[in-house]
Amino acid sequence: MRRTALLVSAALLTGLLPFAAAGPASGADDPAPVPVDNFEGEIPFANPPAEGIFTWGSDSDDPPTLELAARDDAPQGDKVLSGTYDISGYGGFTHDFAFAEPAHDWSASKGIRFWWDGRDNGKKVNFELKDGGANGEASELWTTSFTDDFTGWKQLEIPFTDFTYRTDYQPVGGIDQVLGLTEMWGYALTLPVGVQDRFAMDGVELYGKADQALRANVVTDAAVYPVKEGRSAAVKITVATTGSAPIEEPVTVAYETAGGTGEPGKDYTPVEGELTFPAGTASGTSRTVTVATLRDRTGENAETVPLKLTVTGAKAPAENPQVVIDAHGLPYLDAKLPVKKRVADLVSRLSLAEKAGQMTQAERGALTAPGDIAAYDLGSLLSGGGSTPTPNTPEAWAKMIDGFQLRAQATRFQIPLIYGVDAVHGHNNLVGATILPHNIGIGATRDPQVAHDAGKVTAAEVRATGIPWDFAPCLCVARDERWGRTYESFGEDPALVESMETVIQGLQGAASGKDLKRDDKVLATAKHFVGDGGTEFGSSTTGSYTIDQGVTKVTRQELEAVHLAPYQDAVDRGVGTFMPSYSSLDILGDAEGPVKMHANAAMLNGVLKGRMGFDGFVISDWQAIDQIPGDYASDVRTSVNAGLDMIMVPYAYKDFHATLLDEVRAGRVSEKRIDDAVSRILTQKFKLGLFEKPYADTSGASAIGSAKHRAVAREAAAESQVLLKNAGGVLPLKKSQKVYVAGSDADDIGNQTGGWTITWQGSSGKITDGTTILEGIRKAGGSVTYSKDASAPTAGNDVGVVVVGETPYAEGVGDVGNGNDLALTAADRAAVDKVCAAMKCAVLVVSGRPQLIGDQLGDIDALVASWLPGTEGDGVADVLYGKRAFTGQLPVTWPKSEAQLPINVGDPVYDPQFPYGWGLTTLTKVPSGGTATLKALAVAASLAERAGSEEAGRAIVGKARLLVQQKVGQQITSAVAKPFADADHLLLTGRYARAVEKLAAAYAAA
């Protein structure tokens, strides 16, 4: 799923309050303005911690250019700040005050103003203040925006009352969430996305005189108060001040019940009055207004009773609270009825607009106002990669999602949201969660129980934070290691992928869906349907991607055998949702050419929902319908008619909702199709028990990152290690040995967890809790010397361990050719050369795909494919030191060179560095007897196959494999590699006798 690393584009802020009108609006007795920036050169271009102006962006192309330019029309002085921008992700500039100096006090002023040279491009610009905290990069962020809908210079004034606390991203865990103004660290502007343009700015200054409304505000303890019919709602009204000082002037709050869908005297008893908070009242003082509802005996939908608040002497709440009389007495609310009947009843009651809302999924950080959940009857929200609450804790996740669910209670039928997240190797957005190996490592274990247990841990930690839906597992069959998503695949063999689909039961429980109501299960998503692992190199048209989101060109036979096969198993296992691929499918010989999967009705409606019998719902990928050829209306109708039931439109939820309504009303999308989509969505919501329990059940939160869960991840990490070479029995290490550890990935939790960890792309460094490989080695062994770049003296050590590999990436950003290749870095190569020249050495490759070892292989005594093992480096140390045996096998072919790609098991020409299925072992006795033993194993395999004994068959083929590997050593020729790889595929498909025959052929060729 494509994600932005941080949701900071101006598009997220379209609903914030506009700037005041141009020109001075200050009173005659106001103080003189206080300059912040004149842009005459008094503030340098400099980065923190020094005071200065600096740029930033999501990648190297996104930071704007800046200069101090002399202009005759400069509103103040001679120069202005000007620049150009062309931003695809996010970008802008900041003025930070010096970290070593005291913060600035802006509390005496009314607001901030500046001159802007309008371009009339209709785009919104985000303006942000940095308040409180340690410095400008560790402060609270407060934001608003303005629209560039004018031409020429215009002075824009922003009262500080217009700024709102940022909920989509905060660099700190929250300080007091009050715009205090007494410790200001500067400001920042986020420039528009998707337009190439210039800008100019001048004369930033503070204006006006502060009034109490800047320091005092009235808040309510909630925005929505659901209450059962006949009971009373208590609305707590509180006065609060900056710095918790007593209020200086009286504050009055007039209140009255007015408007809404509830009928006064019939549904509730009207209330009206006034509360007074006298001067000197302590900050935090509360009063309560009680609204009593009335009981009748008829079943009804929910009804709203807004409580209008009129505040004098302080800032009023952003919105009036509303009491909601719960829906009651309607069949869909009866948990004893079959789900099918509940769904039919509810669908029959919904308006077209409410149905369209159920089909709409928005990004949580993109909501322009929390009330939009009810206003648009939204069916779902999600967190993209790195879209987290502040602070990023289990408690904050649960509180955030409960807040969203509370908003959904203000709709007519109180349909709960289904909140989704990409938990692709544990609850990977959450700091402190248990991060498991990525799928490629799970595939290397060849252990379906490991996959199941990984799903089980993930589900428990995700659900404990209030999230019932996981966009996992990826069931792609990765056929080209140049793909930046290779590590999301269990492997290159569809039979291997199918064997790992036990993860679905780990996530969901029973195939019937009966376990989905449990507090440790989540709805799973089979993705990306279909063929995303088979895209042709160079076929992508997405930005600088080379292979991701490209075109998969296959015969129909190849499509069925390779890419479709795992998805039937997912349907049979009862997976609740499917997600189509960004890629296009080109079935050779059908004369249709490439068809975007999000528009592929033949595959979604015909194959998935028709032939395969999938009865869950289909969710689109991130903004994926935008890639369908045609205008937006065409994108909407094409995707929905093709079989998409819910559309992930992270920023465009309003446009999608309106457009879908238009398409239905125009007859281009049938109401029958809408009813089918909504029925599928509601079915899963009922199965999840969300109508009865919409809020987070945090009873399992104590298990997040627990020793028990980390033990599962440790076991998975250990089983995922693939021993490719072990000359002279270097591994396992002995505790008595002095070990020299080096390499870029030895002591880096970010590198060993990879992409999709805390943020979308992941990042190097200490990004979450866990044990690095170095820490694991130190705990498991004896004397350890560590030198990242191998610059420390090597003398006196017995053996070296060099941990090298990739730095994190996700999706097409990691494509080879998009700034990436499969070669080790120069620093890693140098570390390998130095250590392996000085002593016996083991090289561990931490990566999401095979790396090209090439001419260094001969100098390496032991080589381990460590993949991306997650947070539990102890698991890697367990096999290094012989606490458990190496048992992992290659889930993908390890190539000799990039020129060989794509290379896969079953290819007619097959001459890799290491074949698919290769994996040496330790602590295990290899059978002797050569050909005679293989013949005996072939007989036993045939008997196991006839008896249908998987356990026996796997054990027999495993013995034959070890015997062959021992004879082959490192002399892996094409004649050996091809039958060896074929044998592993045959094993996974239950053809044990044929597998042993292939291994015998490899033995003979060795």
Side-chain angles (χ1 to χ4, degrees):
M1 183 179 297
R2 189 179 177 212
R3 296 289 182 270
T4 52
L6 290 174
L7 304 170
V8 296
S9 69
L12 301 186
L13 302 149
T14 54
L16 297 177
L17 295 173
F19 282 67
S26 307
D29 59 347
D30 278 350
V34 178
V36 177
D37 271 333
N38 290 321
F39 301 120
E40 298 300 310
E42 75 281 10
I43 306 299
F45 293 119
N47 287 304
E51 178 168 13
I53 300 168
F54 60 94
T55 63
W56 38 267
S58 54
D59 57 40
S60 59
D61 296 329
D62 285 343
T65 64
L66 296 181
E67 65 173 341
L68 297 177
R71 282 182 48 164
D72 293 339
D73 64 344
Q76 293 184 11
D78 298 321
K79 297 178 181 177
V80 302
L81 180 70
S82 67
T84 61
Y85 60 93
D86 183 8
I87 301 167
S88 59
Y90 62 86
F93 62 91
T94 292
H95 175 187
D96 266 4
F97 301 140
F99 291 7
E101 301 295 328
H104 295 208
D105 187 346
W106 291 1
S107 63
S109 301
K110 180 179 182 179
I112 191 167
R113 66 188 180 195
F114 57 89
W115 291 90
W116 187 264
D117 186 15
R119 306 287 291 178
D120 198 20
N121 57 24
K123 297 290 185 177
K124 288 194 177 289
V125 180
N126 174 31
F127 193 96
E128 187 168 85
L129 298 180
K130 300 189 168 196
D131 177 67
N135 54 59
E137 297 307 292
S139 59
E140 283 189 345
L141 305 181
W142 291 75
T143 189
T144 187
S145 65
F146 69 93
T147 302
D148 188 338
D149 57 1
F150 53 91
T151 302
W153 289 107
K154 182 177 182 180
Q155 190 177 45
L156 303 173
E157 290 191 346
I158 328 164
F160 290 130
T161 51
D162 281 5
F163 286 89
T164 58
Y165 181 79
R166 274 190 64 172
T167 57
D168 59 309
Y169 169 71
Q170 286 284 346
V172 292
I175 300 166
D176 57 10
Q177 298 191 24
V178 173
L179 182 57
L181 300 172
T182 58
E183 293 183 304
M184 300 301 296
W185 290 104
Y187 64 88
L189 278 84
T190 303
L191 295 167
V193 176
V195 59
Q196 185 176 354
D197 210 341
R198 297 187 58 84
F199 77 92
M201 183 181 187
D202 201 11
V204 182
E205 61 188 22
L206 308 178
Y207 74 92
K209 180 181 178 181
D211 56 39
Q212 178 167 280
L214 294 178
R215 300 189 299 275
N217 59 315
V218 169
V219 297
T220 58
D221 57 330
V224 178
Y225 296 82
V227 60
K228 293 187 181 299
E229 186 188 51
R231 297 184 182 179
S232 297
V235 180
K236 184 186 290 186
I237 298 171
T238 303
V239 63
T241 63
T242 299
S244 299
I247 59 175
E248 299 173 0
E249 302 170 14
V251 173
T252 60
V253 182
Y255 60 87
E256 63 174 322
T257 48
T261 58
E263 186 177 336
K266 177 185 176 185
D267 295 311
Y268 67 95
T269 302
V271 296
E272 183 176 1
E274 184 175 273
L275 304 174
T276 301
F277 297 88
T281 298
S283 177
T285 300
S286 300
R287 306 277 191 273
T288 299
V289 174
T290 301
V291 179
T293 68
L294 303 174
R295 183 185 297 275
D296 59 34
R297 298 187 180 279
T298 59
E300 295 175 298
N301 54 257
E303 295 166 312
T304 58
V305 185
L307 185 65
K308 181 182 178 182
L309 303 180
T310 304
V311 178
T312 305
K315 185 178 179 181
E319 58 185 312
N320 286 317
Q322 56 181 328
V323 174
V324 179
I325 306 169
D326 287 340
H328 56 279
L330 302 176
Y332 79 90
L333 295 169
D334 186 352
K336 296 178 182 178
L337 288 178
V339 167
K340 190 172 183 179
K341 287 190 175 181
R342 298 179 74 183
V343 169
D345 176 68
L346 182 51
V347 170
S348 72
R349 298 175 186 279
L350 297 176
S351 68
L352 179 59
E354 288 166 330
K355 293 173 184 177
Q358 286 301 301
M359 296 173 67
T360 307
Q361 184 185 64
E363 218 290 336
R364 41 79 65 183
L367 289 175
T368 56
D372 282 355
I373 292 171
Y376 293 90
D377 296 286
L378 295 180
S380 181
L381 294 178
L382 83 149
S383 278
S387 176
T388 64
T390 302
N392 188 356
T393 63
E395 297 79 11
W397 277 93
K399 181 179 179 181
M400 175 186 74
I401 294 167
D402 282 355
F404 293 141
Q405 291 288 18
L406 183 63
R407 293 289 184 160
Q409 294 298 299
T411 58
R412 276 206 308 163
F413 298 104
Q414 299 180 301
I415 303 174
L417 295 164
I418 179 170
Y419 199 99
V421 67
D422 288 272
V424 298
H425 61 140
H427 195 353
N428 44 252
N429 271 331
L430 173 63
V431 171
T434 305
I435 306 299
L436 294 118
H438 269 294
N439 282 355
I440 195 167
I442 300 295
T445 71
R446 291 299 198 283
D447 189 341
Q449 189 63 47
V450 165
H452 175 274
D453 292 347
K456 187 176 179 180
V457 167
T458 299
E461 297 199 4
V462 168
R463 194 69 182 256
T465 57
I467 301 169
W469 185 15
D470 185 4
F471 304 128
C474 185
L475 302 181
C476 50
V477 183
R479 305 290 283 181
D480 191 329
E481 281 71 46
R482 291 171 291 189
W483 189 33
R485 304 190 83 140
T486 297
Y487 64 76
E488 293 189 50
S489 171
F490 290 113
E492 69 186 34
D493 183 354
L496 174 58
V497 176
E498 287 182 64
S499 73
M500 294 295 113
E501 291 188 50
T502 49
V503 67
I504 294 172
Q505 264 57 65
L507 291 166
Q508 288 197 172
S512 65
K514 70 179 180 64
D515 296 328
L516 286 172
K517 293 181 181 180
R518 286 171 39 175
D519 64 3
D520 61 350
K521 294 299 174 191
V522 294
L523 196 67
T525 307
K527 66 181 188 183
H528 303 89
F529 186 81
V530 60
D532 55 333
T535 50
E536 186 177 77
F537 188 79
S539 65
S540 181
T541 57
T542 301
S544 56
Y545 295 5
T546 57
I547 187 168
D548 189 36
Q549 304 183 23
V551 180
T552 298
K553 296 180 180 179
V554 287
T555 64
R556 188 165 292 279
Q557 182 180 6
E558 289 171 326
L559 174 66
E560 295 283 347
V562 176
H563 297 290
L564 269 175
Y567 291 104
Q568 181 64 66
D569 191 52
V571 172
D572 295 342
R573 288 180 175 274
V575 73
T577 61
F578 262 71
M579 180 182 289
S581 173
Y582 280 115
S583 58
S584 300
L585 181 62
D586 186 358
I587 301 176
L588 301 177
D590 69 358
E592 288 190 24
V595 179
K596 279 284 183 185
M597 278 306 308
H598 279 73
N600 199 324
M603 296 305 300
L604 295 173
N605 285 329
V607 174
L608 177 59
K609 292 182 175 180
R611 191 186 83 193
M612 290 185 173
F614 174 61
D615 60 2
F617 71 89
V618 178
I619 170 71
S620 87
D621 211 329
W622 179 277
Q623 290 182 312
I625 68 167
D626 295 351
Q627 295 188 14
I628 299 173
D631 59 20
Y632 193 67
S634 172
D635 295 346
V636 171
R637 67 173 171 269
T638 299
S639 59
V640 173
N641 286 334
L644 268 65
D645 302 305
M646 182 182 286
I647 316 296
M648 190 185 295
V649 279
Y651 311 123
Y653 61 94
K654 295 178 182 178
D655 289 342
F656 171 77
H657 189 267
T659 303
L660 181 57
L661 289 176
D662 289 343
E663 291 302 299
V664 177
R665 289 165 181 157
R668 292 184 286 268
V669 175
S670 71
E671 291 197 43
K672 182 180 179 182
R673 170 78 269 269
I674 298 298
D675 285 353
D676 172 59
V678 175
S679 296
R680 289 170 175 268
I681 294 164
L682 292 177
T683 295
Q684 299 303 328
K685 289 186 176 185
F686 280 118
K687 285 185 176 182
L688 285 162
L690 295 177
F691 282 82
E692 289 70 46
K693 293 183 177 180
Y695 303 114
D697 181 344
T698 59
S699 58
S702 62
I704 295 173
S706 66
K708 182 179 179 180
H709 284 181
R710 290 183 184 276
V712 173
R714 179 174 181 166
E715 174 75 8
E719 288 198 42
S720 72
Q721 303 300 293
V722 180
L723 183 58
L724 299 173
K725 179 182 180 182
N726 194 24
V730 170
L731 296 177
L733 303 172
K734 301 176 181 64
K735 289 188 177 183
S736 60
Q737 291 175 311
K738 292 181 179 179
V739 180
Y740 185 97
V741 180
S744 60
D745 288 358
D747 193 31
D748 195 308
I749 200 77
N751 286 356
Q752 78 184 45
T753 51
W756 286 108
T757 308
I758 311 305
T759 57
W760 173 40
Q761 290 294 314
S763 59
S764 301
K766 181 71 168 75
I767 61 172
T768 190
D769 302 330
T771 303
T772 66
I773 293 172
L774 172 66
E775 291 166 343
I777 290 173
R778 281 180 167 153
K779 286 192 283 182
S783 174
V784 175
T785 298
Y786 170 62
S787 177
K788 180 177 180 179
D789 60 359
S791 60
T794 57
N797 290 284
D798 300 312
V799 63
V801 176
V802 191
V803 189
V804 298
E806 297 183 305
T807 53
Y809 55 80
E811 303 191 35
V813 176
D815 284 354
V816 167
N818 188 20
N820 302 281
D821 56 38
L822 300 180
L824 298 179
T825 65
D828 277 349
R829 287 179 61 85
V832 170
D833 286 342
K834 182 173 181 180
V835 176
C836 292
M839 66 193 84
K840 291 182 178 181
C841 70
V843 173
L844 277 59
V845 181
V846 173
S847 64
R849 53 197 169 190
Q851 302 292 283
L852 302 175
I853 304 301
D855 56 4
Q856 288 187 299
L857 183 60
D859 300 323
I860 296 169
D861 297 294
L863 181 64
V864 179
S866 286
W867 310 113
L868 298 168
T871 50
E872 307 314 301
D874 285 327
V876 180
D878 285 343
V879 291
L880 289 178
Y881 276 90
K883 184 175 182 179
R884 58 166 295 122
F886 275 96
T887 56
Q889 296 174 243
L890 283 181
V892 292
T893 300
W894 197 286
K896 291 179 177 177
S897 70
E898 195 173 314
Q900 286 186 315
L901 299 176
I903 182 171
N904 294 287
V905 57
D907 286 353
V909 177
Y910 191 72
D911 186 23
Q913 189 91 68
F914 299 102
Y916 169 78
W918 186 264
L920 307 176
T921 191
T922 53
L923 311 181
T924 303
K925 186 177 179 181
V926 177
S928 58
T931 303
T933 300
L934 286 171
K935 287 181 179 178
L937 289 172
V939 173
S942 181
L943 293 172
E945 189 173 329
R946 286 201 294 271
S949 176
E950 180 181 353
E951 183 177 355
R954 287 168 63 102
I956 292 163
V957 177
K959 288 181 179 180
R961 186 176 63 83
L962 294 180
L963 195 157
V964 173
Q965 286 183 152
Q966 185 180 61
K967 182 184 180 185
V968 171
Q970 290 297 298
Q971 305 305 310
I972 303 173
T973 64
S974 176
V976 168
K978 184 168 175 52
F980 185 93
D982 290 343
D984 202 61
H985 170 73
L986 290 163
L987 165 63
L988 289 163
T989 55
R991 290 174 285 178
Y992 312 125
R994 184 73 177 131
V996 174
E997 286 180 22
K998 287 286 185 181
L999 288 169
Y1003 186 89

